[in-house]
Amino acid sequence: MPADSHAASHAASPAGPDTGSRPGSHPAAGPPVIAGLLLAAGGGRRLGGRPKALLPYRGRPLVENAVRVLREAGCGPVHVVLGASAAEVRERADLAGCVVVDNPDWARGMGSSLRAGLASLAGTGARAALVCLVDQPGIGPEAVARVREAYRTPASLVAAAYDGERGHPVLFGADRWADIAETATDDKGARVHLTQHAAELTLVECADVAEPFDIDVPADLARLERY
């Protein structure tokens, strides 16, 4: 099913209304807006070229599960970055209510999708972006909500931890978006920023409620059937 009519058509174009405010600005009243940012552009090279967003999970495309998790964790708006087979994903997956961002440079790695997603949040009033990966179905709403609830200010930097080791999801306060966009290259994503600002990072233990496995190679596909 197609996404809603507010979908962004290009990574460089901000999604949603542009109010002219800086990233992170929001109305004085009400709780801070924590946007969900789903990176779902991968082409599944090690899966024989099967786009990860379209992998079957509980009878539906995997991307729908990740959107549900972000929403149930209280994130909104939800922006979804597509790349490989983007047109097919739009046709087959129900992304109604999401802002969909096409990343034409998806093959260059996760960094390009992260930059596209952050750019799409400009002017939305979001105080932070909570970033999830489409191929981690073992991470559910409870873990995502824990990370979301650790937000304090637009300078917040939060990540889920599994037995003390940093993992996903990750929350980036809006004050950090520009620096992350500058350093997110190839498949590094936000690793440069996270490493440089490790002393400012809040880790939220999630090993008791989530499993952070990825769907990367054919052997991993069995996890989709039994998880």
Side-chain angles (χ1 to χ4, degrees):
M1 297 174 63
D4 71 354
S5 59
H6 298 288
S9 62
H10 192 280
S13 300
D18 186 351
T19 63
S21 59
R22 68 175 178 82
S25 63
H26 71 98
V33 174
I34 310 298
L37 179 53
L38 176 61
L39 304 186
R45 178 177 54 83
R46 289 182 288 172
L47 289 167
R50 301 174 64 184
K52 291 187 176 184
L54 289 175
L55 292 175
Y57 183 65
R58 299 179 179 176
R60 296 297 303 167
L62 185 59
V63 65
E64 291 182 11
N65 174 72
V67 168
R68 175 190 62 80
V69 166
L70 283 165
R71 286 177 171 155
E72 290 185 6
C75 297
V78 175
H79 287 217
V80 181
V81 182
L82 300 180
S85 301
E88 186 179 0
V89 177
R90 286 173 179 269
E91 180 180 352
R92 292 176 52 190
D94 182 359
L95 300 177
C98 296
V99 175
V100 180
V101 183
D102 287 331
N103 174 20
D105 296 324
W106 65 269
R108 295 188 178 185
M110 187 188 302
S112 67
S113 291
L114 181 57
R115 291 195 305 273
L118 292 176
S120 76
L121 290 170
T124 63
R127 278 294 186 104
L130 200 155
V131 181
C132 286
L133 306 181
V134 73
D135 67 339
Q136 294 190 316
I139 299 175
E142 189 169 356
V144 176
R146 285 186 186 181
V147 174
R148 180 185 178 279
E149 290 163 5
Y151 169 85
R152 295 294 179 268
T153 74
S156 290
L157 185 64
V158 185
Y162 301 91
D163 298 325
E165 295 294 323
R166 188 187 80 221
H168 283 89
V170 182
L171 181 146
F172 301 119
D175 288 353
R176 298 182 178 273
W177 295 353
D179 183 69
I180 292 170
E182 288 182 4
T183 58
T185 59
D186 303 322
D187 278 324
K188 295 184 179 69
R191 277 179 283 179
V192 172
H193 186 88
L194 288 165
T195 298
Q196 292 176 342
H197 298 273
E200 303 158 37
L201 177 65
T202 297
L203 291 178
V204 179
E205 185 58 50
C206 294
D208 59 319
V209 295
E211 295 183 55
F213 59 84
D214 302 313
I215 307 298
D216 283 335
V217 297
D220 297 329
L221 295 173
R223 290 180 178 267
L224 294 174
E225 299 175 2
R226 66 174 183 264
Y227 196 85

PDB file of all heavy atoms in Angstrom, residues 81-100:
ATOM      1  N   VAL A  81      13.458   5.851   5.863  1.00  0.00           N
ATOM      2  CA  VAL A  81      14.373   6.067   4.747  1.00  0.00           C
ATOM      3  C   VAL A  81      14.451   4.795   3.912  1.00  0.00           C
ATOM      4  O   VAL A  81      14.839   3.734   4.415  1.00  0.00           O
ATOM      5  CB  VAL A  81      15.779   6.455   5.234  1.00  0.00           C
ATOM      6  CG1 VAL A  81      16.709   6.722   4.032  1.00  0.00           C
ATOM      7  CG2 VAL A  81      15.719   7.687   6.125  1.00  0.00           C
ATOM      8  N   LEU A  82      14.067   4.912   2.645  1.00  0.00           N
ATOM      9  CA  LEU A  82      14.106   3.789   1.713  1.00  0.00           C
ATOM     10  C   LEU A  82      15.214   3.998   0.691  1.00  0.00           C
ATOM     11  O   LEU A  82      15.626   5.121   0.425  1.00  0.00           O
ATOM     12  CB  LEU A  82      12.772   3.643   0.980  1.00  0.00           C
ATOM     13  CG  LEU A  82      11.526   3.401   1.826  1.00  0.00           C
ATOM     14  CD1 LEU A  82      10.302   3.271   0.922  1.00  0.00           C
ATOM     15  CD2 LEU A  82      11.678   2.176   2.710  1.00  0.00           C
ATOM     16  N   GLY A  83      15.666   2.891   0.116  1.00  0.00           N
ATOM     17  CA  GLY A  83      16.697   2.959  -0.914  1.00  0.00           C
ATOM     18  C   GLY A  83      16.521   1.864  -1.936  1.00  0.00           C
ATOM     19  O   GLY A  83      15.921   2.059  -2.985  1.00  0.00           O
ATOM     20  N   ALA A  84      17.019   0.669  -1.629  1.00  0.00           N
ATOM     21  CA  ALA A  84      16.897  -0.457  -2.548  1.00  0.00           C
ATOM     22  C   ALA A  84      15.425  -0.789  -2.788  1.00  0.00           C
ATOM     23  O   ALA A  84      14.647  -0.927  -1.841  1.00  0.00           O
ATOM     24  CB  ALA A  84      17.623  -1.677  -1.980  1.00  0.00           C
ATOM     25  N   SER A  85      15.058  -0.905  -4.071  1.00  0.00           N
ATOM     26  CA  SER A  85      13.685  -1.260  -4.449  1.00  0.00           C
ATOM     27  C   SER A  85      12.650  -0.377  -3.760  1.00  0.00           C
ATOM     28  O   SER A  85      11.585  -0.841  -3.341  1.00  0.00           O
ATOM     29  CB  SER A  85      13.408  -2.741  -4.137  1.00  0.00           C
ATOM     30  OG  SER A  85      14.311  -3.581  -4.826  1.00  0.00           O
ATOM     31  N   ALA A  86      12.950   0.914  -3.678  1.00  0.00           N
ATOM     32  CA  ALA A  86      12.063   1.823  -2.942  1.00  0.00           C
ATOM     33  C   ALA A  86      10.646   1.817  -3.497  1.00  0.00           C
ATOM     34  O   ALA A  86       9.665   1.824  -2.736  1.00  0.00           O
ATOM     35  CB  ALA A  86      12.632   3.237  -2.965  1.00  0.00           C
ATOM     36  N   ALA A  87      10.499   1.809  -4.805  1.00  0.00           N
ATOM     37  CA  ALA A  87       9.162   1.828  -5.395  1.00  0.00           C
ATOM     38  C   ALA A  87       8.371   0.586  -5.006  1.00  0.00           C
ATOM     39  O   ALA A  87       7.169   0.658  -4.711  1.00  0.00           O
ATOM     40  CB  ALA A  87       9.259   1.946  -6.913  1.00  0.00           C
ATOM     41  N   GLU A  88       9.047  -0.557  -4.990  1.00  0.00           N
ATOM     42  CA  GLU A  88       8.362  -1.800  -4.616  1.00  0.00           C
ATOM     43  C   GLU A  88       7.980  -1.787  -3.148  1.00  0.00           C
ATOM     44  O   GLU A  88       6.912  -2.280  -2.765  1.00  0.00           O
ATOM     45  CB  GLU A  88       9.260  -3.000  -4.932  1.00  0.00           C
ATOM     46  CG  GLU A  88       8.571  -4.330  -4.697  1.00  0.00           C
ATOM     47  CD  GLU A  88       9.461  -5.524  -5.024  1.00  0.00           C
ATOM     48  OE1 GLU A  88      10.616  -5.326  -5.443  1.00  0.00           O
ATOM     49  OE2 GLU A  88       8.977  -6.666  -4.849  1.00  0.00           O
ATOM     50  N   VAL A  89       8.854  -1.239  -2.315  1.00  0.00           N
ATOM     51  CA  VAL A  89       8.533  -1.154  -0.888  1.00  0.00           C
ATOM     52  C   VAL A  89       7.296  -0.278  -0.688  1.00  0.00           C
ATOM     53  O   VAL A  89       6.382  -0.623   0.064  1.00  0.00           O
ATOM     54  CB  VAL A  89       9.724  -0.603  -0.087  1.00  0.00           C
ATOM     55  CG1 VAL A  89       9.337  -0.441   1.389  1.00  0.00           C
ATOM     56  CG2 VAL A  89      10.938  -1.528  -0.206  1.00  0.00           C
ATOM     57  N   ARG A  90       7.259   0.859  -1.353  1.00  0.00           N
ATOM     58  CA  ARG A  90       6.102   1.738  -1.240  1.00  0.00           C
ATOM     59  C   ARG A  90       4.814   1.025  -1.659  1.00  0.00           C
ATOM     60  O   ARG A  90       3.744   1.232  -1.081  1.00  0.00           O
ATOM     61  CB  ARG A  90       6.288   2.970  -2.125  1.00  0.00           C
ATOM     62  CG  ARG A  90       7.286   3.995  -1.624  1.00  0.00           C
ATOM     63  CD  ARG A  90       7.483   5.074  -2.677  1.00  0.00           C
ATOM     64  NE  ARG A  90       8.406   6.103  -2.265  1.00  0.00           N
ATOM     65  CZ  ARG A  90       8.074   7.229  -1.631  1.00  0.00           C
ATOM     66  NH1 ARG A  90       6.819   7.428  -1.307  1.00  0.00           N
ATOM     67  NH2 ARG A  90       8.989   8.119  -1.306  1.00  0.00           N
ATOM     68  N   GLU A  91       4.909   0.183  -2.695  1.00  0.00           N
ATOM     69  CA  GLU A  91       3.733  -0.506  -3.225  1.00  0.00           C
ATOM     70  C   GLU A  91       3.270  -1.626  -2.306  1.00  0.00           C
ATOM     71  O   GLU A  91       2.057  -1.808  -2.100  1.00  0.00           O
ATOM     72  CB  GLU A  91       4.048  -1.067  -4.608  1.00  0.00           C
ATOM     73  CG  GLU A  91       2.890  -1.802  -5.249  1.00  0.00           C
ATOM     74  CD  GLU A  91       3.228  -2.341  -6.620  1.00  0.00           C
ATOM     75  OE1 GLU A  91       4.306  -2.020  -7.155  1.00  0.00           O
ATOM     76  OE2 GLU A  91       2.419  -3.115  -7.168  1.00  0.00           O
ATOM     77  N   ARG A  92       4.214  -2.362  -1.728  1.00  0.00           N
ATOM     78  CA  ARG A  92       3.856  -3.570  -0.990  1.00  0.00           C
ATOM     79  C   ARG A  92       3.677  -3.364   0.506  1.00  0.00           C
ATOM     80  O   ARG A  92       2.943  -4.114   1.160  1.00  0.00           O
ATOM     81  CB  ARG A  92       4.915  -4.650  -1.231  1.00  0.00           C
ATOM     82  CG  ARG A  92       4.930  -5.177  -2.655  1.00  0.00           C
ATOM     83  CD  ARG A  92       6.056  -6.180  -2.855  1.00  0.00           C
ATOM     84  NE  ARG A  92       6.038  -7.236  -1.840  1.00  0.00           N
ATOM     85  CZ  ARG A  92       7.005  -8.122  -1.658  1.00  0.00           C
ATOM     86  NH1 ARG A  92       8.082  -8.082  -2.438  1.00  0.00           N
ATOM     87  NH2 ARG A  92       6.921  -9.039  -0.723  1.00  0.00           N
ATOM     88  N   ALA A  93       4.349  -2.368   1.066  1.00  0.00           N
ATOM     89  CA  ALA A  93       4.299  -2.174   2.515  1.00  0.00           C
ATOM     90  C   ALA A  93       3.316  -1.071   2.887  1.00  0.00           C
ATOM     91  O   ALA A  93       3.177  -0.075   2.173  1.00  0.00           O
ATOM     92  CB  ALA A  93       5.688  -1.826   3.042  1.00  0.00           C
ATOM     93  N   ASP A  94       2.633  -1.257   4.000  1.00  0.00           N
ATOM     94  CA  ASP A  94       1.719  -0.246   4.515  1.00  0.00           C
ATOM     95  C   ASP A  94       2.529   0.742   5.357  1.00  0.00           C
ATOM     96  O   ASP A  94       2.861   0.454   6.503  1.00  0.00           O
ATOM     97  CB  ASP A  94       0.625  -0.907   5.350  1.00  0.00           C
ATOM     98  CG  ASP A  94      -0.393   0.101   5.873  1.00  0.00           C
ATOM     99  OD1 ASP A  94      -0.235   1.312   5.595  1.00  0.00           O
ATOM    100  OD2 ASP A  94      -1.338  -0.322   6.555  1.00  0.00           O
ATOM    101  N   LEU A  95       2.833   1.893   4.784  1.00  0.00           N
ATOM    102  CA  LEU A  95       3.574   2.933   5.487  1.00  0.00           C
ATOM    103  C   LEU A  95       2.697   4.162   5.705  1.00  0.00           C
ATOM    104  O   LEU A  95       3.199   5.282   5.822  1.00  0.00           O
ATOM    105  CB  LEU A  95       4.835   3.306   4.698  1.00  0.00           C
ATOM    106  CG  LEU A  95       5.825   2.160   4.463  1.00  0.00           C
ATOM    107  CD1 LEU A  95       7.002   2.633   3.620  1.00  0.00           C
ATOM    108  CD2 LEU A  95       6.315   1.589   5.794  1.00  0.00           C
ATOM    109  N   ALA A  96       1.405   3.947   5.771  1.00  0.00           N
ATOM    110  CA  ALA A  96       0.467   5.048   5.975  1.00  0.00           C
ATOM    111  C   ALA A  96       0.804   5.796   7.255  1.00  0.00           C
ATOM    112  O   ALA A  96       1.070   5.193   8.299  1.00  0.00           O
ATOM    113  CB  ALA A  96      -0.962   4.514   6.043  1.00  0.00           C
ATOM    114  N   GLY A  97       0.810   7.113   7.162  1.00  0.00           N
ATOM    115  CA  GLY A  97       1.107   7.937   8.326  1.00  0.00           C
ATOM    116  C   GLY A  97       2.579   8.215   8.521  1.00  0.00           C
ATOM    117  O   GLY A  97       2.940   9.056   9.341  1.00  0.00           O
ATOM    118  N   CYS A  98       3.440   7.520   7.778  1.00  0.00           N
ATOM    119  CA  CYS A  98       4.883   7.753   7.863  1.00  0.00           C
ATOM    120  C   CYS A  98       5.294   8.819   6.853  1.00  0.00           C
ATOM    121  O   CYS A  98       4.633   9.014   5.831  1.00  0.00           O
ATOM    122  CB  CYS A  98       5.669   6.477   7.551  1.00  0.00           C
ATOM    123  SG  CYS A  98       5.431   5.129   8.713  1.00  0.00           S
ATOM    124  N   VAL A  99       6.380   9.491   7.128  1.00  0.00           N
ATOM    125  CA  VAL A  99       7.040  10.337   6.137  1.00  0.00           C
ATOM    126  C   VAL A  99       8.118   9.474   5.497  1.00  0.00           C
ATOM    127  O   VAL A  99       9.020   8.986   6.183  1.00  0.00           O
ATOM    128  CB  VAL A  99       7.653  11.595   6.773  1.00  0.00           C
ATOM    129  CG1 VAL A  99       8.430  12.394   5.734  1.00  0.00           C
ATOM    130  CG2 VAL A  99       6.555  12.459   7.382  1.00  0.00           C
ATOM    131  N   VAL A 100       7.993   9.245   4.207  1.00  0.00           N
ATOM    132  CA  VAL A 100       8.909   8.349   3.508  1.00  0.00           C
ATOM    133  C   VAL A 100       9.941   9.186   2.751  1.00  0.00           C
ATOM    134  O   VAL A 100       9.586  10.098   2.006  1.00  0.00           O
ATOM    135  CB  VAL A 100       8.152   7.428   2.535  1.00  0.00           C
ATOM    136  CG1 VAL A 100       9.128   6.503   1.804  1.00  0.00           C
ATOM    137  CG2 VAL A 100       7.117   6.601   3.306  1.00  0.00           C
TER     138      VAL A 100
END
